[in-house]
Amino acid sequence: VVLQVVRYGLPLVILIFYVSASWSFSYTPDSTFLSLRMAHSLASDVTLGNLPVHPDAAPNPLWACFLAFATILGLDVLLAAKIFSLFFSSLVVLLSYLLAVEILRDRFLAFCASLAVATGGLLLQVAPSGSPLPLALTLVLAGLFFMLRNDYAASALMLGLGTLVTWQAAGAFLLLLLDAWVNSTAAQRRVRTLLFSAIVYACMVVPWVLFVALRSAPLVPWLVGLGDYPRPSLISGAAAAIPALVAAAAAVGMTRHRYQDSLPRRSHLVVILWACWFIVCFAMWDWDFYLFALPVIVIYALSSVQQLVLPRSATAYAQALFLTGVLILLHQLSFNQAVKPGMSQTEQDTGELGEV
């Protein structure tokens, strides 16, 4: 029964997410136009201008390459940005499921995690915006997924590409090296894995460094985030804090006790450090980086079910559905009361500028 639910339910969740996000297709924050300007500069004279608020940083060069390619093909670059954004946001939902399978080893809980992530107000806001954030999310979460499968070369590849969107992915690469170090049984294998991962990562980053040297472009890839998030409120704070508190309590339990078919404790610690790194980035910069930690927070919140009752039992699945319902309720209250009004105002302002 569980396999049938996942087989038909997961594509339906992704489809519903895509359609729901597409309803706000006209939503275009100012940061999207900055990315379009950089892509036009790259396509016309192979240069990248400075990011106005960060003069020593380059605005997401990999995303600019995506849009520059669309410009060269003669496509509507704004339309291309929005389609890419929706596509990569849908991949985030899929990756949330795959990550949950690797961490929890329970397909039904993984399905619940993907459902909770798909209803997140911030992801629904980012998806139709044409922002580079969904691309960065996809690459970083894919890096985490391959790391958990001990495919360190593929993980280094994803994180190397992710660094070309946002430099904070380099912090995730350091955690990949930590995971390879603690989970390698033989010293020779450990050295070989670390060296090969570093080479793969360098192969992704070094071409950008050479481009910077030749074109005198800023070195640090900086994520041009949405920059249009709602002001902090009680409901948005509750939607972020309650799952995080439940996840933190469950994560402590997962690291203290080894559960059937679960990850080794050392791997749990690396995943928790991974989420903590992006929460620190969120505290230092903006809500953009909270989205990198959101799937891990939801997954560990649902892991509490495994610790309270017998895994894969009817009671466990009933509690998982209840907790998922609570997460969906919090996400939708936050979206409708805090996020959606701001999106509507931005759509109205964009329409008025277009008429002018």
Side-chain angles (χ1 to χ4, degrees), residues 318-350:
Q319 290 191 4
L321 286 174
F322 174 76
L323 183 54
T324 303
V326 172
L327 292 174
I328 292 173
L329 178 62
L330 288 171
H331 287 164
Q332 287 302 297
L333 284 174
S334 176
F335 178 69
N336 286 287
Q337 295 187 19
V339 175
K340 197 170 183 179
M343 293 177 67
S344 300
Q345 183 61 47
T346 300
E347 290 182 40
Q348 181 179 345
D349 293 344
T350 303

Side-chain angles (χ1 to χ4, degrees), residues 59-241:
N60 31 262
L62 182 62
W63 179 251
C65 290
F66 266 93
L67 300 186
F69 184 67
T71 301
I72 293 171
L73 293 178
L75 303 177
D76 185 326
V77 66
L78 178 59
L79 178 62
K82 287 179 170 289
I83 291 175
F84 281 140
S85 183
L86 280 166
F87 171 72
F88 288 119
S89 296
S90 300
L91 286 184
V92 169
V93 178
L94 175 61
L95 283 166
S96 298
Y97 168 79
L98 296 175
L99 282 173
V101 170
E102 290 299 317
I103 295 173
L104 303 178
R105 309 296 169 90
D106 188 312
R107 293 184 180 275
F108 186 79
L109 291 181
F111 172 74
C112 291
S114 67
L115 180 59
V117 170
T119 57
L122 296 180
L123 189 60
L124 287 169
Q125 180 182 7
V126 167
S129 67
S131 166
L133 181 55
L135 172 61
L137 282 168
T138 298
L139 293 171
V140 170
L141 293 177
L144 178 58
F145 169 71
F146 286 118
M147 185 193 77
L148 293 176
R149 295 180 65 87
N150 296 327
D151 191 345
Y152 294 109
S155 181
L157 174 68
M158 294 294 105
L159 294 176
L161 292 173
T163 304
L164 299 182
V165 185
T166 174
W167 70 265
Q168 286 83 356
F173 176 69
L174 295 179
L175 292 173
L176 178 150
L177 297 179
L178 174 64
D179 186 79
W181 177 272
V182 300
N183 285 311
S184 296
T185 54
Q188 185 177 3
R189 183 177 183 273
R190 179 185 296 126
V191 173
R192 186 170 60 249
T193 301
L194 292 175
L195 182 60
F196 188 66
S197 299
I199 291 173
V200 172
Y201 182 82
C203 287
M204 299 298 102
V205 176
V206 167
W208 166 247
V209 175
L210 294 176
F211 176 84
V212 166
L214 293 173
R215 305 298 299 188
S216 299
L219 175 62
V220 181
W222 191 277
L223 176 66
V224 181
L226 203 63
D228 193 39
Y229 294 112
R231 294 179 179 178
S233 63
L234 179 62
I235 184 60
S236 62

